[in-house]
Amino acid sequence: MNMNPWTRHAMLVLAALTMLLSGCTTYVTTQVTAFSEWTGSDATRTYAFTREPDQRNNLELTTYERIVANELATHAFRQVDSAQARYLVGLSYGIRSDMVTVAEPVYYNPWPAPYWGRPFDPWGPWGPFPTAYVNQSYPIFTHLLGVRITERATGKEVYHVTARNSGAESSLVRAMPYLARSALADFPLGNGVVRTVKIPLDKNAGASNETAVPAAAASGPAAASSAKVAQ
C-alpha cells in the first residue's frame, strides 16, 4: 500500500507515542494532613461509625464507611456495636469543581517529509514550530475525605486526618478508595504531618493492589512503614 509522506510520518509519531505510553504507570497523587494524640494499642482498637442526625439513612455515607472500614481493618481496627466501641469514627467528604485555562501552542510545519524533526526523523534538522497560542479551558475536580477518631467515653479527639486530591475524575465515589487508602496509610502518623501519597491507578477505578511508590518528601515526623507513602 502506498502512503504519502505526511501519512507515513503521522503513523510514525502515533507508533512512537504508543510505545512511550505503554510502559508508563499512572498514579493518583493525594496530599494527606494528620493531627494526632494517638496512644491506643492494637488490643483496644474497637470502633463504631458515628453520624449526625441528618445522616442516619444516607446511602452515600454508608458506601464510604465500608471503604474506610476496609482500610481500618488493615490497621487492626475491629468494628463493633457503638456501646462496646472504644473509639467513634466520623467521616466528612466532598467534591468541588473548577475550570482551569491553559495556553496551548498551535504548531505548523512548513517543510514536507522527511524533514519533520527529531526524535522521529533523526536526519531532519527542522521540526514543527509554534505559530500561536490558544486558550483551552478544562474542568478539574477536587476530592476530599476527612477521618476523625474520638474516644467514646470522653469525647476527646485523638486522631484527625484529611486527604485531598485533584484531577479530571468527576465522581467522588470512584475517587474514594484512593482517598481512604491514602488517609490511613502508615497509621498513626505524627501530629502535624503533611505528606504526599502516590497510588497506582487501577483500570477499574478502584485502589490497585500494587504498592504505592514514594512521592515528594513532606514535613513533620512520620511512623515507619514498608509501603505506600513518602517519608
Side-chain angles (χ1 to χ4, degrees):
M1 179 177 62
N2 294 325
M3 293 185 292
N4 63 53
W6 288 110
T7 301
R8 172 181 174 272
H9 284 281
M11 293 185 68
L12 286 174
V13 172
L14 181 60
L17 289 175
T18 301
M19 291 178 64
L20 287 172
L21 294 174
S22 63
C24 298
T25 301
T26 303
Y27 293 89
V28 177
T29 302
T30 302
Q31 180 175 294
V32 175
T33 304
F35 297 94
S36 175
E37 286 189 5
W38 183 262
T39 58
S41 66
D42 288 356
T44 61
R45 290 185 182 182
T46 56
Y47 77 97
F49 285 109
T50 181
R51 296 186 177 190
E52 298 298 325
D54 60 348
Q55 298 176 321
R56 298 297 184 196
N57 298 309
N58 189 320
L59 286 176
E60 181 182 13
L61 180 53
T62 299
T63 301
Y64 300 154
E65 285 176 345
R66 289 170 181 164
I67 295 172
V68 172
N70 288 337
E71 295 301 324
L72 287 171
T74 66
H75 299 288
F77 278 88
R78 183 166 56 90
Q79 190 172 359
V80 297
D81 184 80
S82 59
Q84 283 77 48
R86 174 163 183 177
Y87 300 106
L88 296 178
V89 177
L91 305 184
S92 58
Y93 54 89
I95 183 170
R96 186 185 69 197
S97 63
D98 295 291
M99 296 295 294
V100 293
T101 301
V102 180
E104 297 184 344
V106 177
Y107 289 94
Y108 169 68
N109 181 11
W111 291 284
Y115 304 109
W116 205 43
R118 297 182 176 91
F120 304 112
D121 282 329
W123 58 85
W126 304 291
F129 297 91
T131 58
Y133 287 84
V134 175
N135 288 333
Q136 297 284 354
S137 295
Y138 302 95
I140 186 170
F141 300 89
T142 300
H143 319 99
L144 176 70
L145 170 66
V147 181
R148 182 172 181 260
I149 303 178
T150 59
E151 291 181 342
R152 183 181 63 85
T154 65
K156 177 184 176 182
E157 182 179 86
V158 293
Y159 199 73
H160 190 183
V161 61
T162 58
R164 184 192 310 268
N165 60 38
S166 299
E169 177 54 68
S170 60
S171 170
L172 180 58
V173 70
R174 285 199 290 264
M176 190 57 65
Y178 302 99
L179 292 170
R181 188 177 174 196
S182 300
L184 294 168
D186 283 349
F187 176 90
L189 299 177
N191 188 50
V193 167
V194 179
R195 54 169 37 173
T196 301
V197 180
K198 292 176 68 176
I199 298 177
L201 182 66
D202 185 84
K203 294 180 180 179
N204 298 319
S208 171
N209 290 326
E210 295 182 61
T211 299
V213 301
S219 62
S225 175
S226 60
K228 295 186 180 180
V229 281
Q231 300 297 330

